[in-house]
Amino acid sequence: MTRILADLPDEDIKWLDALAAEQGKSRASILREAVSAYRAEAPKDWLDIGFGAWARDGVTIDPHEYDRQRRAEWTRPWDDDYDEVRVESPEYFTEEDDRERAHYVALTRKTAADTQSDPE
């Protein structure tokens, strides 16, 4: 058995000592039991446990549709792929989005033209 040195807050040490006295055990014995209990409860393989969680919990959504919705939700009028996403998912865009896009494109063109015509 390997011996370890661990730093614990004073309040935890007081609690641990009281528990050990109450159970008639050593502090080390209580800590060994706690580690054993924690290991038993800890997931064996977090990937296996998480994989398929939505299906197990009754969530029925097409993953491709979900991805399409999230992509449209996070696409902004100034994003390079706005037009592509807008064509792919028109139901998630409003006229206001299109106005903002037109404003952004016009502003970008104006800035580019000003930069080219400015001889500095």
Side-chain angles (χ1 to χ4, degrees):
M1 188 176 303
T2 302
R3 193 173 189 100
I4 66 165
L5 177 64
D7 295 324
L8 297 173
D10 291 339
E11 289 300 313
D12 289 345
I13 294 294
K14 289 177 187 173
W15 175 84
L16 192 58
D17 287 342
L19 183 64
E22 179 182 304
Q23 294 184 10
K25 299 176 181 176
S26 68
R27 186 189 294 169
S29 176
I30 297 291
L31 288 171
R32 281 191 294 273
E33 290 174 7
V35 169
S36 293
Y38 183 79
R39 285 184 67 193
E41 292 177 14
K44 302 298 183 230
D45 184 0
W46 62 271
L47 187 58
D48 288 339
I49 290 169
F51 187 78
W54 282 17
R56 280 194 309 273
D57 294 332
V59 176
T60 54
I61 187 170
D62 175 27
H64 301 293
E65 176 62 18
Y66 179 82
D67 288 343
R68 190 174 72 86
Q69 289 174 357
R70 295 296 73 80
R71 184 175 182 208
E73 178 181 301
W74 285 95
T75 299
R76 299 293 177 249
W78 50 86
D79 290 338
D80 292 337
D81 63 347
Y82 176 87
D83 295 322
E84 175 187 333
V85 177
R86 174 77 169 84
V87 167
E88 186 179 289
S89 307
E91 67 274 23
Y92 297 111
F93 292 86
T94 65
E95 289 179 13
E96 178 64 23
D97 292 328
D98 293 338
R99 281 193 297 274
E100 285 184 27
R101 177 64 176 181
H103 175 73
Y104 169 75
V105 169
L107 186 61
T108 304
R109 286 183 186 144
K110 180 183 181 313
T111 303
D114 289 348
T115 303
Q116 289 176 356
S117 64
D118 190 14
E120 286 190 41

